[in-house]
Amino acid sequence: MRLWSIHPQYLDPRGLVALWREGLLAQAVLRGETTGYTHHPQLLRFRKQSSPVACIAEYLRAVHAESVKRGYRFDARKIARGRTSGRIDVPRGQIDFEWQHLMKKLEIRAPKWRETLMTVASPLPHPLFRVKSGGVADWERP
């Protein structure tokens, strides 16, 4: 499971579809609807929030918005109704780590997509996240 901290606009089509599916799985886990992935480290930052399900719903709304921009038909009815205006802190080192991770994946999976991203100097975070100083997040498995 990879719940990217970087903005979904950077993901290739395959990556965006995978993020949608993994985000829905994360939502099911946070709702207590599945027994798998309950201790997955990617979920820690959501569990720390006062309303984890509302946070993952906001996360999914941004993924859905990106899908709409691309003309995809992700089913927004699958997103929980919870809302939050809060944001989750993410260290700059985590953004940088994920950027490098994505670039390595795209080198093999989608080299042309990767080429379009080569001019990005400082990737934007997913809209749910607020960048702060720091290294790679504690929950990341480098």
Side-chain angles (χ1 to χ4, degrees):
M1 179 184 296
R2 166 69 57 190
L3 299 173
W4 295 94
S5 304
I6 59 174
H7 199 288
Q9 71 186 357
Y10 302 121
L11 299 176
D12 62 312
R14 187 169 154 193
L16 188 64
V17 170
L19 179 60
W20 176 249
R21 290 192 348 235
E22 291 169 5
L24 290 173
L25 172 60
Q27 179 177 260
V29 171
L30 293 171
R31 286 174 142 179
E33 297 172 347
T34 182
T35 56
Y37 293 96
T38 57
H39 300 292
H40 199 286
Q42 289 275 332
L43 298 177
L44 289 176
R45 59 186 163 172
F46 292 93
R47 289 190 190 279
K48 288 181 180 179
Q49 307 308 307
S50 61
S51 183
V53 174
C55 285
I56 195 67
E58 291 298 332
Y59 185 91
L60 284 165
R61 282 186 192 93
V63 176
H64 182 266
E66 180 62 27
S67 77
V68 169
K69 286 181 189 174
R70 297 186 191 190
Y72 301 168
R73 295 183 183 197
F74 293 179
D75 187 356
R77 295 173 297 178
K78 293 183 177 185
I79 302 172
R81 293 180 183 226
R83 295 252 179 208
T84 182
S85 59
R87 293 176 62 192
I88 300 173
D89 289 337
V90 63
R92 170 52 62 190
Q94 182 65 30
I95 297 290
D96 295 341
F97 172 82
E98 290 185 18
W99 185 251
Q100 293 306 314
H101 183 65
L102 177 62
M103 296 305 270
K104 286 178 190 171
K105 282 182 165 287
L106 295 177
E107 194 170 8
I108 295 166
R109 186 172 75 203
K112 288 182 182 178
W113 188 272
R114 182 182 188 275
E115 193 175 310
T116 67
L117 298 177
M118 294 303 291
T119 60
V120 176
S122 182
L124 297 171
H126 181 289
L128 180 63
F129 301 115
R130 175 180 48 232
V131 179
K132 64 175 190 165
S133 63
V136 176
D138 296 342
W139 47 262
E140 183 62 71
R141 292 183 179 170

